[in-house]
């Protein structure tokens, strides 16, 4: 939702990174209890599950690494998304540059920004439907609620091939199940730079839900000396579909010292994200051709003048 400026390399990497993170996304429809016969069959059953969800609760950590030559960037964020049939919903995002909580309890919509310790509350007419309410209090809310159904609804789109590599359990998984590990390769969308994309999924063959994903995309964008590689790992602590979710997910209790405001100041929202955060490393050349790296200036006051 928000970003941070960097070197001449990282803006390009960020732009291509965003496109490839989007590339690594897709959605699914409800399958049967039959065991899939092939990787392609398993992906289509999983795809069918996600595209037919009427309620869900997901909790996941996403770690993304962007590599190009000696340049490296790593970001991580935790997401909680939930939706029930009656429309109650929740989105919680925690990360170094993104922290927010949005809850719709059926009558009130709440948005809380920990960075400024402020929240808004809006009451709604019971006749309004979920999407009209959700879009009214936050343009991005519906998209974030449906983050994982959207990601996995089209697993067969641009699919080149898929193979079931093995079946294995995951360390620390309380479900103690053996998941089918499927490796899939994809064609890049039209207009993307030369490269390739592979995605590895850990799929529960009973629920046809994904509990882990490791995606890799490589590209050779024009203007960069080195190719760009993006690795994203999505690990689910919770993945439930068409089941009753706890009421606590759809309740918001403001912190005692939080301030209720009519609306958020957009400039304050942008500025608050950067306070106390380390700047990403980058290098620049001065007018004499000398190269300066930000990491060499740690501990010193640095003034950047963009003109």
């Amino acid at each position: 939702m928000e970003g941070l400026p960097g070197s001449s390399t990282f803006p390009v990497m960020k732009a291509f990174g965003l496109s490839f993170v989007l590339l690594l996304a897709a959605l699914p429809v409800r399958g049967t209890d039959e065991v899939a016969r092939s990787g392609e069959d398993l992906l289509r059953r999983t795809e069918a599950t996600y595209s037919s969800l009427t309620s869900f609760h997901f909790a996941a950590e996403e770690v993304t690494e962007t590599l190009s030559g000696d340049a490296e960037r790593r970001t991580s964020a935790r997401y909680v998304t939930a939706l029930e049939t009656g429309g109650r919903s929740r989105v919680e995002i925690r990360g170094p540059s993104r922290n927010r909580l949005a809850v719709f309890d059926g009558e009130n919509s709440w948005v809380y920004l920990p960075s400024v310790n402020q929240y808004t509350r809006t009451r709604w007419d019971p006749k309004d439907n979920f999407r009209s309410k959700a879009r009214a209090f936050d343009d991005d809310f519906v998209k974030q609620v449906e983050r994982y159904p959207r990601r996995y609804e089209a697993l067969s789109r641009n699919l080149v091939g898929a193979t079931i590599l093995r079946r294995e359990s995951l360390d620390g998984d309380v479900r103690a199940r053996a998941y089918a590990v499927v490796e899939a390769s994809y064609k890049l969308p039209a207009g993307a730079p030369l490269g390739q994309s592979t995605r590895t999924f850990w799929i529960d063959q009973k629920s046809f839900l994904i509990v882990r994903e490791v995606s890799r995309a490589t590209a050779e964008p024009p203007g960069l000396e080195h190719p760009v590689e993006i690795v994203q790992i999505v690990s689910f602590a919770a993945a439930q579909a068409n089941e009753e979710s706890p009421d606590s997910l759809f309740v918001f209790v403001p912190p005692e010292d939080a301030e209720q405001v009519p609306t958020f100041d957009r400039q304050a929202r942008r500025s608050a994200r950067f306070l106390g955060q380390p700047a990403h490393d980058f290098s620049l050349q001065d007018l004499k051709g000398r190269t300066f790296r930000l990491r060499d200036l740690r501990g010193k006051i640095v003034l950047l003048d963009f003109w």
Side-chain angles (χ1 to χ4, degrees):
M1 286 189 277
E2 293 128 346
L4 189 67
S7 69
S8 57
T9 297
F10 270 116
V12 179
M13 291 173 64
K14 180 180 178 183
F16 282 100
L18 177 60
S19 64
F20 279 103
V21 168
L22 294 175
L23 164 67
L24 302 177
L27 251 143
V29 190
R30 196 74 181 173
T32 69
D33 292 332
E34 300 177 20
V35 176
R37 299 178 181 178
S38 67
E40 289 88 347
D41 180 36
L42 186 50
L43 289 185
R44 290 188 177 93
R45 290 171 183 265
T46 303
E47 183 179 67
T49 296
Y50 284 84
S51 64
S52 65
L53 294 181
T54 57
S55 62
F56 53 79
H57 171 209
F58 297 109
E61 180 182 27
E62 299 183 14
V63 178
T64 305
E65 293 184 347
T66 306
L67 310 171
S68 181
D70 294 333
E72 179 179 350
R73 183 182 183 186
R74 185 180 189 273
T75 61
S76 64
R78 295 178 182 271
Y79 293 85
V80 175
T81 66
L83 174 69
E84 79 170 7
T85 307
R88 295 194 300 173
S89 45
R90 180 187 186 95
V91 172
E92 187 172 357
I93 305 173
R94 296 184 180 182
S97 61
R98 294 187 290 181
N99 279 285
R100 68 185 314 213
L101 170 64
V103 175
F104 175 57
D105 64 12
E107 296 180 356
N108 302 278
S109 59
W110 310 78
V111 179
Y112 173 59
L113 298 183
S115 58
V116 293
N117 201 25
Q118 294 179 341
Y119 68 93
T120 61
R121 175 188 177 186
T122 305
R123 293 187 62 85
W124 297 99
D125 187 320
K127 297 179 181 179
D128 292 337
N129 61 37
F130 156 69
R131 289 178 180 273
S132 65
K133 296 174 184 176
R135 286 202 171 96
F137 83 83
D138 191 295
D139 293 339
D140 195 51
F141 183 70
V142 172
K143 184 170 65 175
Q144 291 297 341
V145 168
E146 299 173 346
R147 181 179 188 84
Y148 296 111
R150 286 174 181 265
R151 183 180 183 95
Y152 300 123
E153 71 176 349
L155 293 176
S156 61
R157 184 182 303 161
N158 294 326
L159 179 67
V160 175
T163 303
I164 300 177
L165 300 180
R166 60 189 180 277
R167 289 175 173 80
E168 67 178 16
S169 57
L170 295 174
D171 293 340
D173 191 336
V174 296
R175 287 159 288 203
R177 298 178 183 174
Y179 301 101
V181 182
V182 179
E183 183 177 79
S185 58
Y186 291 87
K187 295 184 296 184
L188 297 188
L194 297 176
Q196 60 184 3
S197 172
T198 61
R199 304 171 71 181
T200 304
F201 307 99
W202 281 253
I203 301 174
D204 185 333
Q205 288 197 160
K206 292 185 177 180
S207 65
F208 291 98
L209 293 174
I210 293 170
V211 297
R212 179 179 169 85
E213 176 190 355
V214 177
S215 300
R216 297 177 183 273
T218 58
E220 299 179 13
L224 287 185
E225 180 181 356
H226 302 284
V228 176
E229 179 182 15
I230 297 171
V231 180
Q232 186 175 56
I233 301 174
V234 183
S235 303
F236 288 89
Q240 299 176 356
N242 301 328
E243 298 179 15
E244 185 175 349
S245 298
D247 288 336
S248 58
L249 285 173
F250 311 110
V251 175
F252 174 70
V253 179
E256 290 185 4
D257 59 343
E259 177 188 9
Q260 182 175 354
V261 295
T263 59
F264 295 114
D265 182 283
R266 291 187 175 274
Q267 184 60 40
R269 289 178 60 175
R270 288 193 292 265
S271 301
R273 294 183 303 102
F274 303 114
L275 294 177
Q277 301 298 327
H280 293 286
D281 185 42
F282 60 88
S283 61
L284 293 173
Q285 285 188 337
D286 65 10
L287 296 178
K288 296 182 179 179
R290 294 175 301 182
T291 299
F292 291 87
R293 289 185 176 273
L294 184 61
R295 65 188 180 199
D296 297 333
L297 301 174
R298 297 293 184 189
K300 300 180 181 180
I301 297 176
V302 179
L303 174 64
L304 298 181
D305 183 10
F306 295 93
W307 55 280

